[in-house]
Amino acid sequence: MLTAVFLLSSSPVTNKKPIAVVAGDGIGKEVIPNAIEVVKASGAAVEFTHFDWGADRHLADGTTIPPDAFQMLARDFDAIFVGALGDPRVPTNIHAKEILLGMRFKMDLYANVRPVRLLDASLCPLKNATTADINFTVIRENTEGVYMDMGGVFKFGTPDELATQEDINTRKGVERVIRFAFEYARSNGRKKVLMSDKSNVMTYAGGLWQRVFKEVAKEYPDINTQHMYVDALCLQMIRQPQSLDVVVTNNMFGDIITDLAAALQGGLGMAASGNIHPGRTSMFEPVHGSAPPIAGKNMANPMGAILTAAMMLAHIGLAAEAQKIEDAVTQAVREKKKTADVGGSMGTRECAAWIGERVAR
Ligand code: ATP
């Protein structure tokens, strides 16, 4: 299932769509160049510009991301392709926060879209699950919730210490992500939107989500609706994943359930995501992190990054190239041309090269 949602313009000079690349740290530096080779093999009319933001640059000169970068990215590029950020040499993870959360917050990329699709039954840890059973999309609110870093501590380090972490939910933020989920369902042939929260305990925030969900749903009589507490949803994802279609939820619950969802499709190495604001430059990144233990060893699974590249192409209007890439990844899984994390024996480069060769045919 591709995610062609909103189209942006191409560069008037070259007629190729400009894409900014931040490979970042760890396995990001391996999977992103390999995914780019696959995109090139597809013949997609895109032009990549590389930025060296990441731990190496930060350690060399203190840069996390230049202050004018967000404006420049929004102005000059149709999409941003990011690998992973995080490096044990930067224990505060400050560069990762400023680059990744900076893009999400400062570019207001409010919808985190995570397609959950099983490409081959062999990848799924569930007994007897078929590819038809696992095919849904999670839309995670991406700019609010507990990620806004609001809160504080009182009597720090004493036995009486008190800590608060605020969960921010604005009417505007909740409404736009719920509307996005309905629009996504409509434009991708989906039939149902399920909203998940914990409104039995988080009554104020959950109450807002409940009211807004019911109101927005009235504008989409062609789409069925459902509500589920997030704990019940976790159970449902394992017992009846085939009942899910489009799921919309807040930032924290989305973070948690999409790791569970990644497991259903074969693990972190298989999962793709987009950080989207309709009509603006959006950012695409594989769900996995920088995976320091396997970085630099040609072991990382490049499929998540390659599927992310396909999602990005579909988003900027190159659906045919995106489909070719998705088909080639599916074929690679079926023919066991894959890395060790998903039961294969190939290296990162060899796996990506096989996919690229298939795409070029
Ligand atoms: P970060 O802090 O950057 O999120 P992390 O190590 O905490 O990094 P992940 O990078 O998401 O978290 O990965 C956790 C583990 O999952 C890795 O150490 C690795 O074993 C496995 N993993 C993640 N991505 C891949 C991949 N693309 N290919 C193979 N294994 C992977």
Side-chain angles (χ1 to χ4, degrees):
M1 168 62 61
L2 298 174
T3 53
V5 189
F6 302 96
L7 306 186
L8 291 160
S9 62
S10 56
S11 154
V13 183
T14 62
N15 220 18
K16 289 185 175 175
K17 292 172 185 280
I19 294 175
V21 180
V22 182
D25 303 330
I27 63 171
K29 288 195 278 197
E30 298 170 77
V31 295
I32 295 299
N34 278 291
I36 286 176
E37 289 308 312
V38 173
V39 172
K40 288 181 180 162
S42 78
V46 294
E47 187 170 83
F48 294 103
T49 302
H50 296 264
F51 294 92
D52 66 351
W53 305 322
D56 288 341
R57 172 80 186 271
H58 179 59
L59 290 167
D61 69 7
T63 301
T64 55
I65 183 163
D68 59 352
F70 301 114
Q71 272 175 310
M72 177 272 295
L73 290 167
R75 186 187 60 229
D76 297 343
F77 294 94
D78 279 12
I80 311 165
F81 189 30
V82 174
L85 289 145
D87 187 305
R89 294 171 300 162
V90 187
T92 59
N93 227 14
I94 180 74
H95 70 298
K97 280 185 201 145
E98 292 197 2
I99 298 168
L100 271 182
L101 294 184
M103 283 179 192
R104 288 181 186 171
F105 290 161
K106 296 196 174 149
M107 300 180 77
D108 203 26
L109 306 178
Y110 67 84
N112 185 267
V113 179
R114 296 195 179 181
V116 185
R117 197 154 79 82
L118 181 63
L119 298 183
D120 190 76
S122 65
L123 294 179
C124 188
L126 298 184
K127 212 167 38 180
N128 303 327
T130 67
T131 52
D133 290 335
I134 293 162
N135 183 2
F136 60 97
T137 301
V138 178
I139 313 285
R140 165 187 171 191
E141 202 293 321
N142 216 20
T143 54
E144 301 194 341
V146 293
Y147 291 73
M148 290 185 77
D149 207 21
M150 290 181 69
V153 287
F154 181 55
K155 297 188 178 178
F156 178 81
T158 73
D160 296 325
E161 182 166 346
L162 175 156
T164 61
Q165 195 84 43
E166 301 293 339
D167 179 26
I168 307 300
N169 298 266
T170 67
R171 166 83 206 197
K172 179 180 144 192
V174 173
E175 186 176 330
R176 67 182 182 174
V177 78
I178 287 177
R179 182 164 281 112
F180 182 99
F182 279 100
E183 288 292 331
Y184 180 94
R186 248 189 202 166
S187 50
N188 288 278
R190 299 287 190 170
K191 300 277 174 270
K192 184 172 73 176
V193 175
L194 182 155
M195 190 275 279
S196 188
D197 62 18
K198 192 69 186 158
S199 52
N200 48 345
V201 180
M202 300 167 73
T203 50
Y204 308 112
L208 176 63
W209 278 79
Q210 292 273 353
R211 276 180 283 121
V212 173
F213 184 59
K214 286 186 187 124
E215 278 175 39
V216 174
K218 287 188 193 137
E219 298 168 31
Y220 299 86
D222 49 319
I223 306 289
N224 297 317
T225 59
Q226 193 181 354
H227 168 263
M228 218 174 245
Y229 297 130
V230 70
D231 43 351
L233 175 60
C234 289
L235 195 73
Q236 185 81 350
M237 286 170 69
I238 301 301
R239 308 233 8 208
Q240 278 193 303
Q242 66 276 18
S243 69
L244 303 172
D245 207 352
V246 175
V247 174
V248 62
T249 190
N250 73 15
N251 209 338
M252 165 141 279
F253 297 148
D255 190 6
I256 296 167
I257 66 168
T258 52
D259 261 34
L260 179 55
L264 295 177
Q265 59 187 138
L268 285 172
M270 297 300 302
S273 81
N275 299 268
I276 293 171
H277 186 131
R280 292 198 196 169
T281 301
S282 294
M283 187 265 273
F284 297 80
E285 54 176 339
V287 169
H288 63 74
S290 59
I294 60 164
K297 296 180 178 163
N298 196 37
M299 283 171 69
N301 184 349
M303 289 179 177
I306 294 170
L307 292 168
T308 299
M311 188 180 175
M312 175 174 71
L313 294 182
H315 183 77
I316 60 174
L318 302 172
E321 292 84 346
Q323 190 65 59
K324 248 197 296 191
I325 293 173
E326 257 202 37
D327 291 346
V329 174
T330 306
Q331 204 55 36
V333 174
R334 289 193 185 140
E335 295 192 25
K336 308 218 176 317
K337 307 293 181 195
K338 51 189 186 172
T339 47
D341 58 304
V342 281
S345 58
M346 282 182 140
T348 310
R349 287 188 294 276
E350 294 70 27
C351 173
W354 191 93
I355 295 166
E357 195 269 323
R358 189 90 194 182
V359 164
R361 267 188 208 173

